[in-house]
Amino acid sequence: NAGVMQNPRHLVRRRGQEARLRCSPMKGHSHVYWYRQLPEEGLKFMVYLQKENIIDESGMPKERFSAEFPKEGPSILRIQQVVRGDSAAYFCASSLTLDSRNYEQYFGPGTRLTVT
Amino acid sequence: AQKITQTQPGMFVQEKEAVTLDCTYDTSDPSYGLFWYKQPSSGEMIFLIYQGSYDQQNATEGRYSLNFQKARKSANLVISASQLGDSAMYFCAMRGPDSNYQLIWGAGTKLIIKP
């Protein structure tokens, strides 16, 4: 059973370009979460999605950032017109259920975005 | 507001010694969950252990145990018989009280095991 897959692992973009980060959840998982980790910090929640629905995007910047989880294919985190401050590690996690009190989020290896 | 505090930015420990990593939390919700994750230099986030607020026993997973002191709002991670491979960043996280999915993270502790 493959774990959470993220690609690319490393992404370099110039200021003003677009960054697309992909996440394939674990097989059978329909809940996807995106987190951002700035250098020397813990993770910060960005968005929670289920198939074709954004449930909670309260942690996502209002501009330039968007996320989707289509019926078919991976979840995509899209950053338009990147700036240097977007440089960070972006982690995707997935979970099997939401109702269980003892749920667990399985994390992908992360995508390290560098904006030059 | 919900908050996780890890007061040890870095620790050096001799191999084979036990290690305690501190974590305190703040929440007004009676129902919550506490997690510990390990992040080695390769960058992935590895789940270690979970403690529910209503669990009667302290959680254990192999060499990892969680010293859960509810009244003090602390959830320290104990690693017994440390190994060189334990060198990594360790993060404490809490399931947010307003939802049962959003994880709130501490700043992490960098643990280095000396041979």
Side-chain angles (χ1 to χ4, degrees):
Chain A
N1 188 9
V4 178
M5 310 287 285
Q6 286 188 253
N7 67 81
R9 293 292 305 275
H10 300 274
L11 182 62
V12 180
R13 283 288 178 266
R14 291 200 180 107
R15 278 180 297 169
Q17 291 184 320
E18 179 180 286
R20 279 186 178 237
L21 288 62
R22 294 176 193 79
C23 169
S24 296
M26 283 184 72
K27 187 176 181 180
H29 287 196
S30 59
H31 305 270
V32 167
Y33 318 84
W34 285 93
Y35 292 85
R36 178 164 65 176
Q37 184 183 30
L38 295 172
E40 309 299 323
E41 295 186 13
L43 278 66
K44 295 286 195 298
F45 169 80
M46 297 181 74
V47 62
Y48 160 48
L49 310 104
Q50 292 182 25
K51 280 286 186 183
E52 299 185 276
N53 288 305
I54 297 173
I55 308 302
D56 181 355
E57 55 183 350
S58 60
M60 202 139 78
K62 294 287 186 285
E63 297 176 352
R64 301 186 298 108
F65 285 73
S66 62
E68 62 177 11
F69 189 16
K71 188 177 180 181
E72 301 289 339
S75 175
I76 306 285
L77 179 67
R78 184 180 174 209
I79 312 173
Q80 295 177 290
Q81 298 176 316
V82 296
V83 300
R84 287 223 172 99
D86 297 333
S87 295
Y90 292 84
F91 286 92
C92 169
S94 72
S95 68
L96 178 61
T97 70
L98 193 56
D99 297 328
S100 170
R101 189 169 59 85
N102 192 11
Y103 87 110
E104 177 189 331
Q105 290 184 7
Y106 293 83
F107 280 80
T111 294
R112 273 140 193 88
L113 173 66
T114 303
V115 179
T116 61
Chain B
Q2 308 83 42
K3 191 177 179 183
I4 290 280
T5 302
Q6 295 181 253
T7 58
Q8 308 151 307
M11 286 185 71
F12 287 89
V13 172
Q14 199 67 40
E15 189 181 9
K16 299 181 184 175
E17 288 184 352
V19 181
T20 297
L21 303 180
D22 296 341
C23 173
T24 58
Y25 58 92
D26 191 17
T27 179
S28 56
D29 196 304
S31 177
Y32 51 89
L34 295 155
F35 302 77
W36 276 92
Y37 285 85
K38 173 183 178 181
Q39 186 178 38
S41 57
S42 50
E44 69 269 32
M45 200 64 73
I46 303 167
F47 167 76
L48 295 179
I49 197 167
Y50 167 85
Q51 180 84 45
S53 59
Y54 293 118
D55 293 343
Q56 296 297 317
Q57 307 279 344
N58 283 350
T60 60
E61 289 286 347
R63 292 187 300 114
Y64 304 107
S65 60
L66 204 151
N67 183 4
F68 182 46
Q69 299 189 35
K70 199 169 182 177
R72 293 185 178 184
K73 294 189 175 179
S74 74
N76 298 340
L77 177 71
V78 179
I79 307 173
S80 63
S82 59
Q83 303 170 356
L84 295 178
D86 294 332
S87 295
M89 283 290 291
Y90 288 81
F91 291 95
C92 180
M94 178 172 66
R95 175 170 45 82
D98 292 333
S99 67
N100 59 352
Y101 55 84
Q102 192 179 127
L103 290 178
I104 297 160
W105 296 72
T109 295
K110 185 167 186 176
L111 175 65
I112 296 175
I113 307 298
K114 299 183 292 183

